[in-house]
């Protein structure tokens, strides 16, 4: 055999071995690339799920805060409406002082106060310009000023008063 033939045979063997090595390297790379892609896909899916959960929790918190804020605003509006109602009613009640029959009304309030506190009760008529009476006896006191009567009347309405501004 001549050297050229040996060289050609060795080269053919080397080419075959090289090709086998390249094929094995390609298989190894493809396998590891597939594993890496699967791991990356799982990591992306986990991150997406965690992100969605965080967003959902944040949205739930924001919704709860919005509901609390809306409820606070409703309660503030109702309180303001109740205050305006009381002020308007008290103003109209104070206007009764100029009407005929008001003195009989105050006499009736004084009589009611004495029936509750006794005949010796001290009766103050139109205390501090508030109309009505305040009566005291011993350590007891009744307030039948026009403002107090209006406030009690609104309180007696209870939840019904809220229907005025629904």
């Amino acid at each position: 055999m001549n050297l050229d033939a040996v060289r050609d045979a060795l080269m053919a063997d080397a080419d075959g071995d090289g090709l086998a090595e390249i094929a094995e390297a390609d298989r190894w790379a493809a396998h590891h690339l597939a594993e890496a892609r699967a791991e990356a896909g799982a990591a992306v899916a986990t991150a997406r799920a965690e992100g969605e959960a965080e967003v959902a929790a944040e949205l739930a918190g924001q919704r709860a805060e919005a509901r609390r804020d809306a409820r606070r605003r409703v309660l503030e509006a109702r309180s303001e409406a109740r205050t305006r109602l009381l002020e308007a009613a008290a103003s109209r009640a104070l206007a009764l002082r100029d009407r005929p029959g008001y003195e009989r009304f105050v006499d009736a309030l004084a009589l009611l106060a004495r029936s509750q506190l006794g005949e010796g009760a001290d009766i103050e008529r139109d205390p501090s310009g508030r109309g009505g009476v305040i009566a005291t006896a011993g350590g007891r006191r009744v307030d039948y000023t026009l403002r107090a009567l209006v406030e009690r009347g609104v309180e007696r309405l209870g939840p019904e008063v809220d229907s005025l501004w629904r």
Side-chain angles (χ1 to χ4, degrees):
M1 229 200 240
N2 72 20
L3 277 173
D4 287 334
V6 171
R7 187 189 69 201
D8 288 344
L10 286 174
M11 287 298 285
D13 280 349
D15 282 347
D17 287 348
L19 290 175
E21 290 281 327
I22 290 172
E24 178 59 29
D26 284 347
R27 282 190 300 276
W28 182 87
H31 171 76
H32 288 288
L33 183 59
E35 281 183 348
R37 284 186 176 144
E39 288 176 12
V44 166
T46 298
R48 179 177 289 128
E50 289 173 357
E52 288 172 355
E54 287 178 21
V55 167
E58 178 66 25
L59 286 175
Q62 289 176 357
R63 282 187 199 110
E65 180 64 30
R67 282 191 303 272
R68 284 189 296 272
D69 187 50
R71 178 70 176 148
R72 180 187 53 78
R73 288 177 187 218
V74 165
L75 292 175
E76 285 175 356
R78 285 182 179 171
S79 176
E80 176 67 23
R82 180 180 286 262
T83 298
R84 287 183 180 184
L85 172 68
L86 283 170
E87 292 305 319
S91 175
R92 293 191 67 123
L94 283 173
L96 293 174
R97 294 183 301 170
D98 299 328
R99 307 272 317 244
Y102 175 72
E103 285 306 316
R104 283 182 296 158
F105 175 67
V106 172
D107 291 341
L109 292 175
L111 185 63
L112 176 62
R114 279 199 173 93
S115 73
Q116 292 175 326
L117 300 179
E119 285 299 317
D122 290 324
I123 305 292
E124 182 182 358
R125 296 169 81 85
D126 195 25
S128 303
R130 294 184 289 164
V133 300
I134 291 180
T136 56
R140 300 181 328 167
R141 177 179 188 262
V142 293
D143 183 347
Y144 289 135
T145 57
L146 296 176
R147 172 78 184 212
L149 294 172
V150 166
E151 287 175 356
R152 285 187 205 120
V154 170
E155 283 302 312
R156 282 194 187 108
L157 289 174
E160 289 179 44
V161 79
D162 290 340
S163 69
L164 296 175
W165 42 81
R166 281 189 194 160

